[in-house]
Amino acid sequence: MNELNEPNALNENTASPRLTNSKATTRRSHRKLLTNKLYYIYYITMRLGEVLVNQGKITQSMLEQALEEQKKDGARLGTTLIKMGFVSEAELLEALSKHYGVKSIDLKNKELDDSLLKLVPSDLAGKYLIVPVSRFGHTLTVAMINPGDVAAIEDIQFATGYEVKPVVASEEAILKVVQDHYHVQKLLSDVMYELEMTDHKEAGVQLTDGEEDMTVAQREDDLADVVDDSDSGPALKLTGKIITDAVDMNVSDVHIEPYEKDMRIRYRIDGILHEMMKPPKRMNRAIATVIKVMSKLKVEEKRLPQDGRIKARIHNKIIDIRVSTVPTLFGEKIALRLLDRSTIQLNLDLLGFDEETLSTFRRAIKTPFGIVLVTGPTGSGKTTTLYSGLTELNDPGLNITTAEDPIEYSLHGINQLQVNEKIGLTFAGALRSYLRQDPNIIMVGEIRDLETAQIAIRASLTGHLVMSTVHTNSASATITRLVNMDVEPFLIASTLLAVESQRLLRKICDKCRVETTYPDEILMDAGLDPKNIDFKFFKGEGCTHCRGTGYRGRVGVFENMIVNSSIRELILAGATSNEIEKQAVKNGMITLHEAALKKLREGLVTIEEVIRETKVA
């Protein structure tokens, strides 16, 4: 018998026995499965490497290397082969499909029905790494990484009452579904059960409108102490879980959003939002109450936006959490910005600048007076760049002061002021006060109006270096933005030293990075000549390390426009941003798009990221 066809026969006879009400039939099917179990284990486990060699997917030498590596990390052979780059995920799935005699399925592009997922208990899904994908009549199709696991098939059949038809899927894709659905659903199930069984008067968090009803334990500043309190209540536990998971996953923002019939929790990972869980709508009020108490906001105020802060110790790390609440049609939406002090790198050399752009930026910030602006969209790392520059300039011989909203990180040796517009302490007001404090360098969080811009200009004209941010899309567009604020062009030309614009691009995951190709239309869309490509393209296939996204971490791309005599003449002449940019390029400026293409050539980013963040219209 052909060995590769043998599993087909076994699969038809044993893998999916029809369940009936007859105990005798069930016992016979059970015995038949057990009879073939040892054969399956031997055939499937011991022969996978040999099958891949026979199919020409890998060489014998590759197999031996993978087996040695497998002994070190204890991973499955298929996972190890992908990790070492010997086979792609698609090639492995094709081989496994032939090997097991079953179809393969791509879970990454398949929408799964929640009601279908609920058919398989979470403990079985996690134990065997299986995901139900479809149901037809009395047959349940499940995706597995090992369709030859008779014990798994047997347990699923007895647990669900359905005949089981196995298909093969990648381990990474199955792990992601198990993590995203079953682990979260188990947490929500436990929390909701506790909520049903808990007397609200005894709970750590009561669903009330009055702050006076809150327990002393909830008033602690350290979130870890509150979360660990066994009497703190189910809503507090769920809130703690949301935040600690976000810290573990290097999330930058958490969005808690109520809707008419439900709510959702989304995490921003590497600049992109991902839906993580959908708790019942009734939890929204409890979660909002917990977060308000932790951040010392007014619990009873639901009609107006509020801003607060939580300082937490999570896994022995100090985490600053900025809290923002806004009223919406169906309840309060909450946004949490997580700032991990232990991971911040306030070093210009580590931000991703290319050598030439970094050199010109350094020269600008070391000029004794004038204005240096950093620009880019929200979340592009402008504050980190400014902090890195201040850290480099920080010296006992200099008086450095900042006016920020909010203060994101405490910088030793630098005087930092928190702007509070509610009490009249604006950026402009802070700047006025600082001018009487004998400063050398002033950092203003943002120039957003004419008054602040005028005081910044006055400070630079009287011998101070002023650093700040402006929200524009490019370095040259910053000139137009200042003119639109009614700043006189001659003041801009005489004070502005440099404008640095930046973006953050998602990096390709280094654990699942593979070579790829693109059609000519995509290449041209990215500003590349298809006939003149002298480098390779890469992408991430998706793995557990990157949660199936293909991306892990971000890298900055920068353009730095030095305001020299030619640029000053254009500013005074009222030139457009396009005309100013063309002149800056002639002067040697590397544009954001060119910087992104350089990262593409280095194999750090995908062409999709280049187009998404720096495409030129």
Side-chain angles (χ1 to χ4, degrees):
M1 179 183 293
N2 188 308
E3 287 183 324
L4 286 177
N5 292 328
E6 196 165 358
N8 277 322
L10 289 169
N11 185 50
E12 293 173 1
N13 295 331
T14 67
S16 303
R18 181 169 297 279
L19 303 181
T20 68
N21 292 328
S22 167
K23 292 183 179 179
T25 302
T26 300
R27 284 196 297 270
R28 282 196 299 273
S29 299
H30 193 175
R31 286 195 300 269
K32 196 169 186 180
L33 284 166
L34 293 176
T35 301
N36 290 286
K37 185 174 180 180
L38 289 176
Y39 176 79
Y40 262 105
I41 291 174
Y42 170 79
Y43 183 81
I44 298 301
T45 305
M46 301 301 291
R47 295 291 302 280
L48 174 59
E50 185 179 340
V51 168
L52 291 171
V53 172
N54 290 340
Q55 291 184 17
K57 304 294 184 185
I58 61 174
T59 65
Q60 186 65 38
S61 174
M62 290 178 177
L63 174 59
E64 291 170 1
Q65 292 178 54
L67 290 172
E68 285 298 317
E69 183 67 23
Q70 186 187 24
K71 291 177 183 177
K72 299 176 185 177
D73 58 23
R76 297 175 186 274
L77 179 58
T79 302
T80 302
L81 288 165
I82 293 175
K83 179 181 175 182
M84 297 180 72
F86 291 159
V87 293
S88 66
E89 184 178 295
E91 290 172 331
L92 182 63
L93 276 180
E94 180 186 357
L96 291 174
S97 176
K98 292 179 181 178
H99 183 47
Y100 290 120
V102 298
K103 293 181 179 179
S104 64
I105 185 170
D106 181 6
L107 288 181
K108 294 177 184 175
N109 300 315
K110 184 174 179 61
E111 290 189 11
L112 300 175
D113 186 348
D114 282 348
S115 62
L116 194 65
L117 292 168
K118 289 177 182 176
L119 290 175
V120 175
S122 60
D123 56 340
L124 287 182
K127 178 181 179 181
Y128 294 119
L129 292 183
I130 64 99
V131 172
V133 293
S134 65
R135 176 180 54 185
F136 184 75
H138 206 64
T139 300
L140 182 68
T141 300
V142 298
M144 308 175 66
I145 58 175
N146 182 4
D149 190 336
V150 182
I153 293 173
E154 178 187 18
D155 283 354
I156 298 164
Q157 287 182 157
F158 280 106
T160 64
Y162 286 89
E163 293 184 9
V164 171
K165 178 183 177 182
V167 294
V168 66
S170 72
E171 182 178 3
E172 288 78 11
I174 291 178
L175 277 171
K176 186 177 188 303
V177 175
V178 170
Q179 174 66 35
D180 289 351
H181 178 81
Y182 288 106
H183 290 184
V184 168
Q185 293 306 315
K186 185 177 187 303
L187 169 66
L188 291 177
S189 176
D190 292 345
V191 167
M192 291 311 299
Y193 175 76
E194 187 173 347
L195 188 60
E196 295 290 343
M197 300 300 293
T198 302
D199 183 344
H200 294 324
K201 293 182 179 180
E202 298 178 357
V205 177
Q206 288 101 48
L207 306 184
T208 70
D209 289 335
E211 189 175 345
E212 65 275 10
D213 292 327
M214 302 304 159
T215 64
V216 175
Q218 291 173 287
R219 300 182 188 275
E220 295 293 331
D221 288 332
D222 195 322
L223 178 60
D225 291 342
V226 181
V227 173
D228 289 340
D229 186 346
S230 60
D231 297 324
S232 58
L236 186 55
K237 292 179 181 178
L238 179 56
T239 305
K241 178 67 174 173
I242 290 169
I243 295 174
T244 53
D245 279 357
V247 172
D248 290 339
M249 296 165 61
N250 296 318
V251 170
S252 62
D253 300 87
V254 177
H255 292 262
I256 301 169
E257 304 164 320
Y259 296 97
E260 184 176 9
K261 296 181 180 180
D262 59 11
M263 62 180 292
R264 69 177 177 180
I265 311 295
R266 293 193 292 170
Y267 288 172
R268 188 178 293 279
I269 305 172
D270 295 333
I272 304 296
L273 283 169
H274 300 268
E275 185 175 305
M276 304 307 296
M277 64 177 84
K278 298 182 74 172
K281 175 64 183 296
R282 59 185 291 190
M283 293 293 290
N284 178 243
R285 189 179 176 193
I287 292 173
T289 301
V290 170
I291 291 174
K292 282 183 175 182
V293 172
M294 290 175 175
S295 53
K296 299 180 181 179
L297 299 179
K298 295 179 180 178
V299 176
E300 67 276 8
E301 180 56 77
K302 299 178 176 65
R303 300 167 300 169
L304 296 173
Q306 296 188 72
D307 294 309
R309 196 172 195 136
I310 299 170
K311 183 179 180 181
R313 184 183 297 277
I314 301 174
H315 306 322
N316 292 321
K317 295 192 294 185
I318 298 297
I319 307 295
D320 285 326
I321 304 171
R322 284 162 41 188
V323 180
S324 172
T325 72
V326 294
T328 68
L329 182 61
F330 300 111
E332 288 184 280
K333 179 187 182 300
I334 300 172
L336 308 177
R337 168 67 61 87
L338 278 63
L339 304 169
D340 185 352
R341 294 183 181 181
S342 65
T343 61
I344 188 71
Q345 296 178 325
L346 301 181
N347 187 328
L348 290 174
D349 292 315
L350 302 177
L351 298 184
F353 279 97
D354 64 72
E355 188 175 341
E356 185 176 345
T357 303
L358 178 56
S359 176
T360 58
F361 184 69
R362 274 197 167 115
R363 285 200 300 271
I365 65 173
K366 291 179 180 179
T367 305
F369 55 87
I371 298 176
V372 175
L373 297 177
V374 176
T375 182
T378 301
S380 60
K382 299 186 297 296
T383 302
T384 300
T385 300
L386 283 177
Y387 277 3
S388 298
L390 289 178
T391 300
E392 189 162 303
L393 295 173
N394 195 2
D395 183 272
L398 295 175
N399 179 12
I400 303 176
T401 57
T402 75
E404 306 172 58
D405 183 21
I407 297 173
E408 295 195 1
Y409 297 100
S410 175
L411 304 176
H412 181 69
I414 294 176
N415 305 291
Q416 296 173 268
L417 179 147
Q418 170 71 57
V419 168
N420 188 344
E421 295 190 358
K422 293 179 182 177
I423 61 173
L425 183 55
T426 62
F427 283 120
L431 262 174
R432 284 195 196 94
S433 299
Y434 274 155
L435 289 178
R436 296 189 289 271
Q437 290 281 323
D438 185 33
N440 297 103
I441 300 170
I442 301 174
M443 192 272 271
V444 186
E446 181 183 354
I447 294 178
R448 60 178 67 161
D449 53 44
L450 176 60
E451 185 181 15
T452 308
Q454 287 177 333
I455 299 172
I457 288 170
R458 192 176 81 191
S460 68
L461 288 172
T462 53
H464 306 89
L465 176 66
V466 179
M467 300 171 67
S468 187
T469 69
V470 180
H471 281 85
T472 58
N473 291 323
S474 67
S476 59
T478 304
I479 308 298
T480 306
R481 175 78 178 109
L482 292 173
V483 171
N484 289 340
M485 287 184 193
D486 291 329
V487 179
E488 294 290 348
F490 76 89
L491 290 175
I492 299 173
S494 60
T495 59
L496 194 59
L497 298 172
V499 183
E500 185 266 309
S501 183
Q502 62 187 63
R503 296 288 188 279
L504 290 177
L505 273 59
R506 291 183 294 171
K507 291 173 62 178
I508 299 171
C509 175
D510 56 8
K511 302 293 183 183
C512 58
R513 179 175 175 267
V514 295
E515 191 175 336
T516 187
T517 57
Y518 292 100
D520 289 353
E521 306 84 64
I522 299 290
L523 298 178
M524 289 186 287
D525 202 25
L528 294 170
D529 181 358
K531 298 178 181 178
N532 237 351
I533 302 298
D534 58 354
F535 59 94
K536 296 179 180 179
F537 298 100
F538 296 91
K539 68 174 183 178
E541 284 195 312
C543 64
T544 53
H545 184 65
C546 61
R547 294 182 55 81
T549 63
Y551 299 97
R552 178 80 175 189
R554 290 189 288 179
V555 62
V557 291
F558 307 84
E559 67 179 17
N560 190 38
M561 183 181 76
I562 297 297
V563 181
N564 58 14
S565 58
S566 60
I567 299 294
R568 291 192 188 99
E569 290 175 4
L570 289 175
I571 294 173
L572 293 171
T576 65
S577 59
N578 286 337
E579 291 171 334
I580 293 173
E581 182 173 290
K582 287 179 181 177
Q583 183 60 50
V585 171
K586 287 181 182 178
N587 294 342
M589 182 183 80
I590 298 172
T591 65
L592 284 172
H593 186 64
E594 290 170 343
L597 289 178
K598 185 176 181 181
K599 303 296 183 187
L600 179 68
R601 291 186 182 93
E602 293 171 356
L604 294 176
V605 301
T606 63
I607 200 168
E608 290 87 353
E609 280 295 285
V610 172
I611 294 172
R612 185 174 70 89
E613 289 291 349
T614 69
K615 181 181 176 181
V616 179

